């Protein structure tokens, strides 16, 4: 049954109530028509609960807008949802990615994440190519996708909205990696389910690194908003040392927008529940509104927290990752870099969940606390214990 407006309704009930199911929920394809966004195809999802989000087909099928009952969930930066044709990957010393950095979720990868790095290119067996120059967070997030399909899927009296697409990152004498993405939501719920497969379609042994830059904005992020996580250890903080308390912002409780704020990045070691899942949330108790990200520890063993609390840029990032914040070079040196042979793949299964009231927030907090009780202090001393990862 579909739960809508406080009632359980069958497919027949809904068909009798309107000439088209799109009156209640649906997914439709549109094209943006103005400014930096002109020409971008997007899919707009409405789940029937008041949740609306958009998927940018021409930006790796990433999630851009997200709002719930008129309240924003996702972050909009000054860069806007820039058309990928305007993107210059190697500009500004590798920081040009920042000019395309906006939205609830940006995919980072497929062969590199984190800051700029020149990788030895001997595995591609092409003498003129001595290195692969990586800009920040890799190429995938600004590559247009091929839309394989979208629509409604009925399973008896339950309805699911879905889309699927393929994003290819490839070059001659280099990587040929493919992202197969499916996004699905059950009508009458607030759970966005993301299923990704990254496959090496080429015949060179190729590195793989992966991260989601999930960005929560105001009003979920507000003065007093709380970061909730099954946090066993604060591993690393970019501002540790003499600057650890300089900005008077800890990891747990968020302030109002700041002037002159320098981003703070943390890496936390998370515990998983009996199913191997790691839930992390940002909640606004005053509004009774929150946002939760659920990942799998065996797929994303690392988790970062990004605080960009500068006025006009105000965002909190939840960032599940395949690798430590130490970067590409350290992953190589530590034997933790993932290598994919032809046909090999990695899977990633993630849920993005709106916490729409105080009860949902309480349930999320109870689940998280049952896994591990996070430090109550705002400034736990970073341990520097980057646990060994598998790699291959």
């Amino acid at each position: 049954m579909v739960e809508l407006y406080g009632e359980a309704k069958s497919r027949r009930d809904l068909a009798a109530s309107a000439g088209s199911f799109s009156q209640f929920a649906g997914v439709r394809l549109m094209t943006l028509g103005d400014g930096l966004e002109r020409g971008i195809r997007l899919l707009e999802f409405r789940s029937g609960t008041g949740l609306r989000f958009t998927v940018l087909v021409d930006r790796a099928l990433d999630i851009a807008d997200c709002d719930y009952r008129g309240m924003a969930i996702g972050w909009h930066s000054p860069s806007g949802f820039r058309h990928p044709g305007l993107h210059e990957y190697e500009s500004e010393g590798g920081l040009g990615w920042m000019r395309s950095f906006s939205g609830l979720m940006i995919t980072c990868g497929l062969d590199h994440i984190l800051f700029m790095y020149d990788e030895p290119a001997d595995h591609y067996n092409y003498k003129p190519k001595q290195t692969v120059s990586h800009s920040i967070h890799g190429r995938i997030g600004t590559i247009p996708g091929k839309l394989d399909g979208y629509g409604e899927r009925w399973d008896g009296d339950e309805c699911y909205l879905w889309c699927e697409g393929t994003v290819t990152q490839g070059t001659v004498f280099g990587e040929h990696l493919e992202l197969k993405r499916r996004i699905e939501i059950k009508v009458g719920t607030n759970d966005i389910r993301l299923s990704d497969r990254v496959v090496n379609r080429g015949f060179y042994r190729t590195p793989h690194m992966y991260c989601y830059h999930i960005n929560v904005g105001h009003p979920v992020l507000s003065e007093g908003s709380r970061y909730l996580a099954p946090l066993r250890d604060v591993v690393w903080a970019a501002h540790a040392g003499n600057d650890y308390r300089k900005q008077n912002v800890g990891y747990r409780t968020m302030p109002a927008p700041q002037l002159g704020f320098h981003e703070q990045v943390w890496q936390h070691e998370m515990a998983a529940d009996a199913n191997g899942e790691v839930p992390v949330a940002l909640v606004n108790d005053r509004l009774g509104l929150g946002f939760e990200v659920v990942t799998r520890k065996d797929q994303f063993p690392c988790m970062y927290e990004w605080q960009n609390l500068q006025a006009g840029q105000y965002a909190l990032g939840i960032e599940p990752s395949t690798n430590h914040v130490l970067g590409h070079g350290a992953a190589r040196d530590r034997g933790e870099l993932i290598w994919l042979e032809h046909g090999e793949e990695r899977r990633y299964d993630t849920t993005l969940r709106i916490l729409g009231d105080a009860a949902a927030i309480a349930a999320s907090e109870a689940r998280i606390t049952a896994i591990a009780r996070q430090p109550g202090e705002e400034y736990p001393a970073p341990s520097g214990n980057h646990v060994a990862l598998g790699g291959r």
Side-chain angles (χ1 to χ4, degrees):
M1 304 291 277
V2 176
E3 296 284 341
L4 284 179
Y5 321 123
E7 295 181 301
K9 293 181 177 288
S10 69
R11 185 174 185 179
R12 186 181 189 284
D13 293 335
L14 291 166
S17 301
S20 172
F21 185 68
S22 63
Q23 179 171 319
F24 311 118
V27 52
R28 60 180 176 175
L29 179 64
M30 297 180 282
T31 302
L32 298 173
D34 203 8
L36 292 170
E37 304 169 339
R38 184 179 179 186
I40 294 179
R41 294 171 297 159
L42 64 78
L43 292 163
E44 181 188 61
F45 284 72
R46 295 176 298 112
S47 76
T49 66
L51 172 59
R52 184 192 74 94
F53 64 93
T54 60
V55 174
L56 300 182
V57 178
D58 292 316
R59 293 269 305 261
L61 285 92
D62 279 341
I63 299 175
D65 309 285
C66 182
D67 50 76
Y68 179 70
R69 296 184 176 177
M71 294 180 288
I73 304 295
W75 174 62
H76 289 207
S77 85
S79 75
F81 304 127
R82 196 175 190 221
H83 190 283
L86 300 175
H87 185 68
E88 300 174 73
Y89 179 73
E90 296 175 347
S91 67
E92 300 188 48
L95 291 174
W97 180 85
M98 301 291 186
R99 296 192 180 275
S100 297
F101 180 25
S102 188
L104 177 69
M105 193 196 85
I106 295 95
T107 305
C108 306
L110 296 171
D111 56 346
H112 172 77
I113 61 172
L114 299 163
F115 278 102
M116 297 76 75
Y117 179 70
D118 287 345
E119 170 196 359
D122 51 297
H123 49 290
Y124 293 132
N125 194 31
Y126 184 58
K127 287 185 179 179
K129 187 174 189 172
Q130 296 297 307
T131 60
V132 179
S133 294
H134 294 293
S135 296
I136 189 170
H137 282 319
R139 300 177 183 273
I140 193 65
T142 53
I143 297 177
K146 176 181 178 290
L147 185 59
D148 298 326
Y150 69 96
E152 302 166 9
R153 176 176 67 84
W154 285 90
D155 183 1
D157 283 326
E158 294 183 336
C159 183
Y160 298 84
L161 309 176
W162 65 277
C163 72
E164 285 189 352
T166 304
V167 191
T168 300
Q169 178 184 326
T171 186
V172 177
F173 302 123
E175 80 278 6
H176 180 187
L177 297 170
E178 179 182 271
L179 168 63
K180 297 285 289 186
R181 171 164 288 174
R182 182 179 179 91
I183 298 172
E184 187 169 278
I185 185 166
K186 182 180 176 182
V187 172
T189 75
N190 292 322
D191 293 9
I192 305 167
R193 301 195 182 277
L194 181 70
S195 300
D196 284 354
R197 288 193 304 128
V198 177
V199 186
N200 183 4
R201 296 298 185 196
F203 287 83
Y204 294 114
R205 182 172 180 260
T206 301
H208 168 55
M209 302 180 80
Y210 206 52
C211 174
Y212 296 146
H213 213 301
I214 301 169
N215 311 294
V216 190
H218 186 74
V220 181
L221 174 61
S222 189
E223 185 173 9
S225 295
R226 297 183 296 135
Y227 178 86
L228 304 176
L231 200 162
R232 291 194 300 200
D233 182 28
V234 173
V235 176
W236 181 91
H239 55 297
N242 293 335
D243 291 337
Y244 199 39
R245 297 171 181 260
K246 181 179 179 181
Q247 298 189 111
N248 199 32
V249 176
Y251 89 94
R252 193 166 179 263
T253 308
M254 303 305 136
Q258 307 287 292
L259 294 176
F261 189 85
H262 189 283
E263 70 164 1
Q264 294 184 169
V265 181
W266 317 68
Q267 182 178 342
H268 305 304
E269 177 60 25
M270 301 297 187
D273 68 10
N275 296 317
E277 292 184 335
V278 178
V280 177
L282 182 71
V283 302
N284 183 324
D285 297 300
R286 182 182 63 83
L287 290 179
L289 181 65
F291 180 75
E292 182 182 72
V293 177
V294 183
T295 56
R296 292 196 54 82
K297 183 72 172 179
D298 58 350
Q299 296 173 346
F300 285 123
C302 303
M303 182 72 72
Y304 318 142
E305 176 188 356
W306 178 63
Q307 295 172 324
N308 181 11
L309 305 176
Q310 167 66 27
Q313 309 257 329
Y314 196 49
L316 186 286
I318 298 170
E319 300 181 59
S321 172
T322 56
N323 293 91
H324 292 304
V325 75
L326 300 172
H328 197 137
R332 278 175 166 267
D333 294 343
R334 290 165 57 100
E336 296 174 348
L337 191 62
I338 298 166
W339 291 89
L340 298 178
E341 301 286 355
H342 170 72
E344 287 189 325
E345 66 178 49
R346 288 293 177 107
R347 291 176 177 262
Y348 303 93
D349 304 290
T350 302
T351 299
L352 310 179
R353 176 176 294 131
I354 308 302
L355 307 174
D357 54 30
I361 290 173
S364 174
E365 185 166 12
R367 178 187 177 190
I368 289 169
T369 303
I371 301 169
R373 190 173 293 274
Q374 69 190 77
E377 58 181 309
E378 292 285 347
Y379 304 94
S383 69
N385 182 28
H386 294 89
V387 299
L389 305 176
R392 196 180 65 74

